[in-house]
Amino acid sequence: MSANESRSATVQVPEVVHSRRWAILAVLLFSLIVVVLDTSILYVAMKTISQPAPIGLGSTQSQLEWAINAYTLVFAGLLFTSGLVGDRLGRKKTLIFGMLVFGTSSLFSAFSGSSGELIAYRALMGFGAAFVMPSTLAIIANVFDRDERPKAIGIWTGTVGIGIALGPIVGGLLLQHFWWGSAFLVNVPIVAIGVVAMAALVPDSKDPRPGRLDPVGVLLSIVGLVLLVYGIIKGGQLADFTAPESWLTIVIGVAVLGGWVLHEHRSDHPAFDIAYFRDRRFSASVVAIGFVFFGLVGVTFFGVFYCQSVRGYTPLQTGLLMLPLAAAQMIFAPRARLVVDRFGARAVCATGLALDAVAFLGFLLLGTATPIWVLEVVFFLMGTAMAHVVPPATVMIMSSLPREKAGSASAVNNTFRQVGGALGVAVLGSLLSTVYHSGIDGHLAAVPALSEDLRRTAGESVESTLAVAQKLGPAGRALVQPANDAFVHAMHVTATAAAGVAVLGAVVALAFLPRRAPQEALAPEQDKVIASSEG
């Protein structure tokens, strides 16, 4: 393609859009906040939802994992298609549609009558969120020029930290005064305000040559991921990965995902363009982001139970304890580009992932009575590490493709975030359940009042054990300390596994990421195309 043809194929950004780009960014961040806020609110609400009615829904640990992953898997499975829909129909329209679906399903989730209903409505929330996230990054890529784009993306990433900070605190305040459904109901007014602001301020943009939709690819990816995650979670629930319900489902899921990759490779209009991964910086960046969110979401899942079930903190106190994680992201994420300019993307991302591993190993210092400031330091290190991986990796992903493909680049970025998080919850949550079960099973067997079925249920999680101990009255008090000790041991094993994944991510970053900053790594022809669109 010649330079002139490239210019004609590039979306021209009107000067009026540039003049209000920071106001547009503020509105886009508003939509991002509501998506992140919902996830972090759910973390502190999990213990409440796990309690019997009327306080909660009586959800088991596996049901709580599905409440998270039903959202995440639908979100991840549809991200690429939603990016293409935005490229074809207009990113503003797609963004507003996603917000409306997200707000409506939040309302339904708030009034769920069972764990099954909550899981179904969470899946619908994931459907709506899938049309929000890619649109925000795609619009940012179209209203900011090349020089300001890293700063805008850094602010976008730092907003994730704000959502993580606000979510647990808002959730804790709501749960202190209202029922568990208020954690979802709070999304409704935020969505309403955001939609009005988007209609008034956000410009629309399209890809002049959008790709065709690929429903077969979407279906294969969702089915494969659901089967894979189901098998992993089932293995943790049974504390037996040799059970057919676990290993057979995992094998079928992997086979379906293999068929999906083959389909995408052969298709002339793939939902997920495998060709993007020929660019080493692109593929290494999405892998780095996947590893970061694998550890972050998985570790946060068991960190909340450590704070509330083992240490006895309230949801609000737990939310406040997570502030260092969010504060570090807000401090460092917008400034990560300066570090990349000085030391290069490879060094910054690899160091960030190595620091992530150190933070996870910090959980080994935590016991049933460890000073809580140790956990605060661990959370701060986690946030600092994430802030130095996600912004430069995101910039490299967004700059690897032409500007008119911003929706597709954003979709890939967010797909690996969500898949990494879903696998983190499934793998680390199942590892936690398996190790915990082996540690508490002997103590449960020593209680004659427990039937075989009740013993199996009580051994699934620390919360289940403590609930059974409370029902047994004085006879159950002997289970409390062994349950806490077994959970802490399981947490140590799980955190070590998360650290190993982070180290693997650091090795990938060192091996495949470029030394130079993303701005310098842009191909000359692509740089001309982007420059021509910025006038």
Side-chain angles (χ1 to χ4, degrees), residues 470-505:
Q470 186 176 15
K471 288 180 181 178
L472 293 175
R477 292 175 186 167
L479 290 174
V480 174
Q481 190 58 45
N484 290 339
D485 292 338
F487 180 87
V488 168
H489 172 66
M491 180 179 71
H492 290 168
V493 173
T494 307
T496 302
V501 172
V503 169
L504 180 60

mmCIF file of all heavy atoms in Angstrom, residues 470-505:
data_model
loop_
_atom_site.group_PDB
_atom_site.id
_atom_site.type_symbol
_atom_site.label_atom_id
_atom_site.label_comp_id
_atom_site.label_asym_id
_atom_site.label_seq_id
_atom_site.Cartn_x
_atom_site.Cartn_y
_atom_site.Cartn_z
ATOM 1 N N GLN A 470 -19.783 -22.870 63.100
ATOM 2 C CA GLN A 470 -20.758 -22.032 63.803
ATOM 3 C C GLN A 470 -22.050 -22.806 64.066
ATOM 4 O O GLN A 470 -22.653 -22.695 65.132
ATOM 5 C CB GLN A 470 -21.047 -20.773 62.987
ATOM 6 C CG GLN A 470 -21.930 -19.770 63.702
ATOM 7 C CD GLN A 470 -22.106 -18.491 62.898
ATOM 8 O OE1 GLN A 470 -21.804 -18.461 61.709
ATOM 9 N NE2 GLN A 470 -22.582 -17.442 63.530
ATOM 10 N N LYS A 471 -22.472 -23.636 63.110
ATOM 11 C CA LYS A 471 -23.688 -24.432 63.291
ATOM 12 C C LYS A 471 -23.522 -25.473 64.400
ATOM 13 O O LYS A 471 -24.472 -25.806 65.108
ATOM 14 C CB LYS A 471 -24.054 -25.144 61.979
ATOM 15 C CG LYS A 471 -24.586 -24.225 60.897
ATOM 16 C CD LYS A 471 -24.931 -25.018 59.642
ATOM 17 C CE LYS A 471 -25.454 -24.107 58.544
ATOM 18 N NZ LYS A 471 -25.752 -24.871 57.290
ATOM 19 N N LEU A 472 -22.306 -26.001 64.554
ATOM 20 C CA LEU A 472 -22.058 -27.029 65.563
ATOM 21 C C LEU A 472 -21.994 -26.457 66.974
ATOM 22 O O LEU A 472 -22.000 -27.229 67.944
ATOM 23 C CB LEU A 472 -20.752 -27.768 65.250
ATOM 24 C CG LEU A 472 -20.740 -28.619 63.974
ATOM 25 C CD1 LEU A 472 -19.353 -29.188 63.721
ATOM 26 C CD2 LEU A 472 -21.766 -29.741 64.060
ATOM 27 N N GLY A 473 -21.900 -25.133 67.096
ATOM 28 C CA GLY A 473 -21.846 -24.518 68.424
ATOM 29 C C GLY A 473 -20.512 -24.780 69.105
ATOM 30 O O GLY A 473 -19.452 -24.752 68.458
ATOM 31 N N PRO A 474 -20.526 -25.076 70.415
ATOM 32 C CA PRO A 474 -19.266 -25.308 71.152
ATOM 33 C C PRO A 474 -18.404 -26.407 70.543
ATOM 34 O O PRO A 474 -17.180 -26.337 70.554
ATOM 35 C CB PRO A 474 -19.750 -25.695 72.554
ATOM 36 C CG PRO A 474 -21.094 -25.057 72.669
ATOM 37 C CD PRO A 474 -21.693 -25.110 71.298
ATOM 38 N N ALA A 475 -19.052 -27.424 69.978
ATOM 39 C CA ALA A 475 -18.297 -28.534 69.395
ATOM 40 C C ALA A 475 -17.508 -28.107 68.159
ATOM 41 O O ALA A 475 -16.533 -28.765 67.783
ATOM 42 C CB ALA A 475 -19.245 -29.668 69.031
ATOM 43 N N GLY A 476 -17.923 -27.012 67.536
ATOM 44 C CA GLY A 476 -17.256 -26.564 66.328
ATOM 45 C C GLY A 476 -16.103 -25.608 66.552
ATOM 46 O O GLY A 476 -15.369 -25.287 65.621
ATOM 47 N N ARG A 477 -15.934 -25.152 67.794
ATOM 48 C CA ARG A 477 -14.859 -24.177 68.062
ATOM 49 C C ARG A 477 -13.479 -24.755 67.795
ATOM 50 O O ARG A 477 -12.545 -24.036 67.436
ATOM 51 C CB ARG A 477 -14.953 -23.714 69.514
ATOM 52 C CG ARG A 477 -16.189 -22.864 69.803
ATOM 53 C CD ARG A 477 -16.308 -22.532 71.271
ATOM 54 N NE ARG A 477 -17.563 -21.842 71.553
ATOM 55 C CZ ARG A 477 -18.051 -21.656 72.775
ATOM 56 N NH1 ARG A 477 -17.377 -22.117 73.835
ATOM 57 N NH2 ARG A 477 -19.198 -21.029 72.943
ATOM 58 N N ALA A 478 -13.358 -26.069 67.954
ATOM 59 C CA ALA A 478 -12.056 -26.701 67.737
ATOM 60 C C ALA A 478 -11.631 -26.658 66.274
ATOM 61 O O ALA A 478 -10.461 -26.912 65.961
ATOM 62 C CB ALA A 478 -12.094 -28.148 68.226
ATOM 63 N N LEU A 479 -12.562 -26.330 65.379
ATOM 64 C CA LEU A 479 -12.241 -26.281 63.950
ATOM 65 C C LEU A 479 -11.707 -24.928 63.498
ATOM 66 O O LEU A 479 -11.112 -24.830 62.420
ATOM 67 C CB LEU A 479 -13.488 -26.623 63.127
ATOM 68 C CG LEU A 479 -13.987 -28.065 63.165
ATOM 69 C CD1 LEU A 479 -15.318 -28.173 62.420
ATOM 70 C CD2 LEU A 479 -12.960 -29.003 62.553
ATOM 71 N N VAL A 480 -11.941 -23.879 64.292
ATOM 72 C CA VAL A 480 -11.631 -22.519 63.841
ATOM 73 C C VAL A 480 -10.137 -22.331 63.594
ATOM 74 O O VAL A 480 -9.723 -21.898 62.505
ATOM 75 C CB VAL A 480 -12.155 -21.485 64.849
ATOM 76 C CG1 VAL A 480 -11.700 -20.078 64.438
ATOM 77 C CG2 VAL A 480 -13.673 -21.548 64.938
ATOM 78 N N GLN A 481 -9.302 -22.641 64.583
ATOM 79 C CA GLN A 481 -7.858 -22.423 64.409
ATOM 80 C C GLN A 481 -7.271 -23.331 63.341
ATOM 81 O O GLN A 481 -6.480 -22.868 62.502
ATOM 82 C CB GLN A 481 -7.127 -22.619 65.740
ATOM 83 C CG GLN A 481 -5.659 -22.183 65.701
ATOM 84 C CD GLN A 481 -5.488 -20.715 65.317
ATOM 85 O OE1 GLN A 481 -6.196 -19.843 65.824
ATOM 86 N NE2 GLN A 481 -4.572 -20.423 64.403
ATOM 87 N N PRO A 482 -7.629 -24.630 63.296
ATOM 88 C CA PRO A 482 -7.123 -25.460 62.183
ATOM 89 C C PRO A 482 -7.546 -24.945 60.813
ATOM 90 O O PRO A 482 -6.783 -25.037 59.844
ATOM 91 C CB PRO A 482 -7.739 -26.833 62.466
ATOM 92 C CG PRO A 482 -7.956 -26.854 63.939
ATOM 93 C CD PRO A 482 -8.329 -25.443 64.300
ATOM 94 N N ALA A 483 -8.781 -24.393 60.716
ATOM 95 C CA ALA A 483 -9.242 -23.836 59.443
ATOM 96 C C ALA A 483 -8.384 -22.648 59.040
ATOM 97 O O ALA A 483 -7.966 -22.526 57.870
ATOM 98 C CB ALA A 483 -10.706 -23.427 59.545
ATOM 99 N N ASN A 484 -8.100 -21.769 59.989
ATOM 100 C CA ASN A 484 -7.267 -20.600 59.687
ATOM 101 C C ASN A 484 -5.853 -21.011 59.293
ATOM 102 O O ASN A 484 -5.273 -20.473 58.340
ATOM 103 C CB ASN A 484 -7.225 -19.661 60.895
ATOM 104 C CG ASN A 484 -8.551 -18.966 61.135
ATOM 105 O OD1 ASN A 484 -9.378 -18.853 60.229
ATOM 106 N ND2 ASN A 484 -8.776 -18.497 62.351
ATOM 107 N N ASP A 485 -5.294 -21.984 60.031
ATOM 108 C CA ASP A 485 -3.942 -22.449 59.725
ATOM 109 C C ASP A 485 -3.884 -23.111 58.351
ATOM 110 O O ASP A 485 -2.935 -22.909 57.582
ATOM 111 C CB ASP A 485 -3.468 -23.434 60.798
ATOM 112 C CG ASP A 485 -3.240 -22.766 62.147
ATOM 113 O OD1 ASP A 485 -3.044 -21.536 62.169
ATOM 114 O OD2 ASP A 485 -3.273 -23.483 63.170
ATOM 115 N N ALA A 486 -4.912 -23.929 58.038
ATOM 116 C CA ALA A 486 -4.945 -24.599 56.736
ATOM 117 C C ALA A 486 -5.070 -23.590 55.608
ATOM 118 O O ALA A 486 -4.451 -23.751 54.537
ATOM 119 C CB ALA A 486 -6.109 -25.595 56.692
ATOM 120 N N PHE A 487 -5.854 -22.527 55.812
ATOM 121 C CA PHE A 487 -6.006 -21.504 54.773
ATOM 122 C C PHE A 487 -4.685 -20.767 54.557
ATOM 123 O O PHE A 487 -4.294 -20.529 53.404
ATOM 124 C CB PHE A 487 -7.096 -20.508 55.154
ATOM 125 C CG PHE A 487 -7.291 -19.431 54.120
ATOM 126 C CD1 PHE A 487 -8.139 -19.625 53.049
ATOM 127 C CD2 PHE A 487 -6.587 -18.238 54.198
ATOM 128 C CE1 PHE A 487 -8.295 -18.654 52.076
ATOM 129 C CE2 PHE A 487 -6.729 -17.260 53.226
ATOM 130 C CZ PHE A 487 -7.591 -17.464 52.166
ATOM 131 N N VAL A 488 -4.009 -20.411 55.644
ATOM 132 C CA VAL A 488 -2.748 -19.680 55.507
ATOM 133 C C VAL A 488 -1.730 -20.527 54.752
ATOM 134 O O VAL A 488 -1.007 -20.024 53.871
ATOM 135 C CB VAL A 488 -2.210 -19.270 56.898
ATOM 136 C CG1 VAL A 488 -0.776 -18.771 56.792
ATOM 137 C CG2 VAL A 488 -3.096 -18.195 57.505
ATOM 138 N N HIS A 489 -1.658 -21.812 55.063
ATOM 139 C CA HIS A 489 -0.735 -22.692 54.340
ATOM 140 C C HIS A 489 -1.108 -22.757 52.850
ATOM 141 O O HIS A 489 -0.232 -22.670 51.974
ATOM 142 C CB HIS A 489 -0.767 -24.098 54.945
ATOM 143 C CG HIS A 489 0.006 -25.114 54.151
ATOM 144 N ND1 HIS A 489 1.377 -25.059 54.001
ATOM 145 C CD2 HIS A 489 -0.412 -26.203 53.426
ATOM 146 C CE1 HIS A 489 1.781 -26.057 53.228
ATOM 147 N NE2 HIS A 489 0.719 -26.773 52.871
ATOM 148 N N ALA A 490 -2.398 -22.920 52.566
ATOM 149 C CA ALA A 490 -2.849 -22.970 51.173
ATOM 150 C C ALA A 490 -2.544 -21.652 50.466
ATOM 151 O O ALA A 490 -2.172 -21.642 49.282
ATOM 152 C CB ALA A 490 -4.344 -23.271 51.124
ATOM 153 N N MET A 491 -2.702 -20.526 51.166
ATOM 154 C CA MET A 491 -2.395 -19.218 50.592
ATOM 155 C C MET A 491 -0.913 -19.119 50.235
ATOM 156 O O MET A 491 -0.542 -18.581 49.183
ATOM 157 C CB MET A 491 -2.779 -18.122 51.584
ATOM 158 C CG MET A 491 -2.509 -16.707 51.097
ATOM 159 S SD MET A 491 -3.023 -15.439 52.296
ATOM 160 C CE MET A 491 -1.780 -15.673 53.576
ATOM 161 N N HIS A 492 -0.044 -19.649 51.103
ATOM 162 C CA HIS A 492 1.393 -19.614 50.833
ATOM 163 C C HIS A 492 1.735 -20.407 49.573
ATOM 164 O O HIS A 492 2.510 -19.943 48.725
ATOM 165 C CB HIS A 492 2.156 -20.194 52.032
ATOM 166 C CG HIS A 492 2.125 -19.325 53.240
ATOM 167 N ND1 HIS A 492 2.534 -19.754 54.488
ATOM 168 C CD2 HIS A 492 1.720 -18.038 53.412
ATOM 169 C CE1 HIS A 492 2.391 -18.780 55.361
ATOM 170 N NE2 HIS A 492 1.897 -17.732 54.730
ATOM 171 N N VAL A 493 1.163 -21.599 49.441
ATOM 172 C CA VAL A 493 1.417 -22.422 48.256
ATOM 173 C C VAL A 493 0.913 -21.721 46.995
ATOM 174 O O VAL A 493 1.598 -21.677 45.966
ATOM 175 C CB VAL A 493 0.745 -23.802 48.410
ATOM 176 C CG1 VAL A 493 0.864 -24.605 47.114
ATOM 177 C CG2 VAL A 493 1.357 -24.577 49.574
ATOM 178 N N THR A 494 -0.288 -21.144 47.080
ATOM 179 C CA THR A 494 -0.890 -20.488 45.918
ATOM 180 C C THR A 494 -0.107 -19.240 45.520
ATOM 181 O O THR A 494 0.105 -18.978 44.327
ATOM 182 C CB THR A 494 -2.348 -20.121 46.231
ATOM 183 O OG1 THR A 494 -3.046 -21.282 46.700
ATOM 184 C CG2 THR A 494 -3.052 -19.589 44.996
ATOM 185 N N ALA A 495 0.327 -18.467 46.507
ATOM 186 C CA ALA A 495 1.111 -17.266 46.220
ATOM 187 C C ALA A 495 2.446 -17.622 45.570
ATOM 188 O O ALA A 495 2.933 -16.907 44.680
ATOM 189 C CB ALA A 495 1.343 -16.476 47.500
ATOM 190 N N THR A 496 3.041 -18.718 45.984
ATOM 191 C CA THR A 496 4.291 -19.165 45.370
ATOM 192 C C THR A 496 4.080 -19.523 43.906
ATOM 193 O O THR A 496 4.913 -19.200 43.040
ATOM 194 C CB THR A 496 4.851 -20.376 46.136
ATOM 195 O OG1 THR A 496 5.054 -20.030 47.513
ATOM 196 C CG2 THR A 496 6.175 -20.825 45.541
ATOM 197 N N ALA A 497 2.954 -20.183 43.609
ATOM 198 C CA ALA A 497 2.631 -20.509 42.213
ATOM 199 C C ALA A 497 2.439 -19.229 41.399
ATOM 200 O O ALA A 497 2.907 -19.141 40.249
ATOM 201 C CB ALA A 497 1.374 -21.361 42.164
ATOM 202 N N ALA A 498 1.760 -18.230 41.973
ATOM 203 C CA ALA A 498 1.569 -16.956 41.273
ATOM 204 C C ALA A 498 2.906 -16.279 41.005
ATOM 205 O O ALA A 498 3.114 -15.679 39.939
ATOM 206 C CB ALA A 498 0.667 -16.049 42.102
ATOM 207 N N ALA A 499 3.834 -16.377 41.962
ATOM 208 C CA ALA A 499 5.164 -15.792 41.779
ATOM 209 C C ALA A 499 5.896 -16.475 40.621
ATOM 210 O O ALA A 499 6.582 -15.815 39.828
ATOM 211 C CB ALA A 499 5.973 -15.917 43.070
ATOM 212 N N GLY A 500 5.726 -17.798 40.505
ATOM 213 C CA GLY A 500 6.357 -18.520 39.400
ATOM 214 C C GLY A 500 5.852 -18.054 38.049
ATOM 215 O O GLY A 500 6.627 -17.917 37.092
ATOM 216 N N VAL A 501 4.549 -17.787 37.954
ATOM 217 C CA VAL A 501 3.970 -17.284 36.705
ATOM 218 C C VAL A 501 4.532 -15.898 36.386
ATOM 219 O O VAL A 501 4.841 -15.581 35.221
ATOM 220 C CB VAL A 501 2.435 -17.241 36.804
ATOM 221 C CG1 VAL A 501 1.831 -16.527 35.592
ATOM 222 C CG2 VAL A 501 1.868 -18.653 36.917
ATOM 223 N N ALA A 502 4.682 -15.043 37.409
ATOM 224 C CA ALA A 502 5.236 -13.702 37.193
ATOM 225 C C ALA A 502 6.682 -13.773 36.707
ATOM 226 O O ALA A 502 7.094 -12.990 35.833
ATOM 227 C CB ALA A 502 5.144 -12.890 38.485
ATOM 228 N N VAL A 503 7.464 -14.707 37.260
ATOM 229 C CA VAL A 503 8.850 -14.886 36.802
ATOM 230 C C VAL A 503 8.870 -15.309 35.338
ATOM 231 O O VAL A 503 9.694 -14.822 34.545
ATOM 232 C CB VAL A 503 9.572 -15.932 37.680
ATOM 233 C CG1 VAL A 503 10.913 -16.320 37.054
ATOM 234 C CG2 VAL A 503 9.790 -15.385 39.086
ATOM 235 N N LEU A 504 7.980 -16.209 34.956
ATOM 236 C CA LEU A 504 7.879 -16.623 33.554
ATOM 237 C C LEU A 504 7.565 -15.426 32.666
ATOM 238 O O LEU A 504 8.129 -15.279 31.564
ATOM 239 C CB LEU A 504 6.795 -17.691 33.410
ATOM 240 C CG LEU A 504 6.567 -18.244 31.998
ATOM 241 C CD1 LEU A 504 7.832 -18.887 31.447
ATOM 242 C CD2 LEU A 504 5.425 -19.256 32.013
ATOM 243 N N GLY A 505 6.674 -14.548 33.139
ATOM 244 C CA GLY A 505 6.366 -13.338 32.387
ATOM 245 C C GLY A 505 7.576 -12.443 32.217
ATOM 246 O O GLY A 505 7.790 -11.846 31.148
#
